[in-house]
Amino acid sequence: MQAENRIIDKSILGSDTVSFTVYCPVIAKKAKAGQFVVIRARNEGERIPLTIADRDPAKGIINITILKIGKTSRLLSSFEPGDIIPDIAGPLGKPSEIENFGTVVIIGGGVGIAPTLPIIKTMKEAGNYVISVIGARNCNGLIFKEAIKTHSDEFYTCTDDGSEGFKGFVSDFLIEYIKQHPDKKIDRVVAIGPVLMMKAVCDVTRPYGLKTIVSLNPIMVDGTGMCGSCRVEVGGKTMFGCVDGPEFDGHLVDFKLLSSRLDIYREEEKTAYNKYMENHKCKMSQ
Ligand code: FAD
Ligand code: FES
Ligand code: MG
């Protein structure tokens, strides 16, 4: 009998990304594509949201993929198989809208590639023709390649440095793809990744009138609509990323406001990170 929240497996995906398989039977049973969990890596620690990148209800496991960016993601990434994550709440957020739209282009950038996998799988199961496009700075960042390819009708990779696939951003690839396939009717685009990437994709699709769904990543605390920290503006209305999203119509999102709100605690985050690294170094040298 496994203990809840125990890490079953850990994979290192390149230099700054790790993936955990975690035993969470209740979440695994209920989670749907597009949903996330809120995690605390220490009982007294801050809460951070992470997408449920995959799940297996029969085995009671979920997969989370973490980009080491600051203090908490770094601390969590240092966990090993057998360790127990103190606190995992979920599944949270609205599931992705899945139906047979026809042809869907699903785009993942950086660590945003991980959450595209369950959407790709379920879009395919729903009968869509799925075109998957993943992008990263270099070929080491192209995570979950084989799994995504398996569930896609067409599969493309892009790298900023040209080390694999198309050389350039996923948004540049999309422009080329649309121009080279004038007869292909695209019914929906889904883009998940850094804010700038999602905005760039929306700028490409807007003139073509291609409905584009983005998964927003505002700062979240409780993930249940109570604290208001995840406020985003969509179509001129204030929405809560955690309960009204995280997926929204990208053509209606105020990306400028989202970017500026993501920077609000930059100084505090830097201080916390430096302190963590300092302590960590001390422990290493003891
Ligand atoms: P910090 O140094 O504290 O922060 C670095 C930057 O991360 C900040 O400037 C801010 O932009 C952002 N951030 C900080 N705290 C939060 C917070 N509580 N909530 C949201 N953003 C924050 N990252 C992944 O690596 N994998 C995922 O699957 C993933 N899924 C996400 C799903 C959702 C719905 C959201 C909203 C975010 C997701 N993120 C994911 C982003 C992840 O939550 C942040 O990278 C993480 O909180 C950073 O914490 P930190 O302490 O390591 O970094
Ligand atoms: Fe608190 Fe959304 S995270 S209201
Ligand atoms: Mg933090």
Side-chain angles (χ1 to χ4, degrees), residues 171-184:
S171 47
D172 300 328
F173 173 87
L174 187 61
I175 299 174
E176 290 299 312
Y177 187 92
I178 293 171
K179 282 187 186 158
Q180 285 173 20
H181 300 80
D183 300 331
K184 190 163 259 175

Side-chain angles (χ1 to χ4, degrees), residues 16 38 147 178 240:
D16 55 4
V38 166
I178 293 171
F240 283 0

Side-chain angles (χ1 to χ4, degrees), residues 219-230 240-243:
I219 290 182
M220 293 188 182
V221 179
D222 60 300
T224 59
M226 289 194 284
C227 71
S229 67
C230 63
F240 283 0
C242 65
V243 287

Side-chain angles (χ1 to χ4, degrees), residues 111-129:
V111 75
I113 297 171
T116 64
L117 180 57
I119 301 175
I120 289 166
K121 279 187 188 171
T122 39
M123 283 288 196
K124 185 74 193 137
E125 281 161 16
N128 292 286
Y129 183 84

Side-chain angles (χ1 to χ4, degrees), residues 46 48 71-72 269:
E46 67 173 348
I48 63 163
K71 178 185 168 184
T72 305
E269 287 157 0

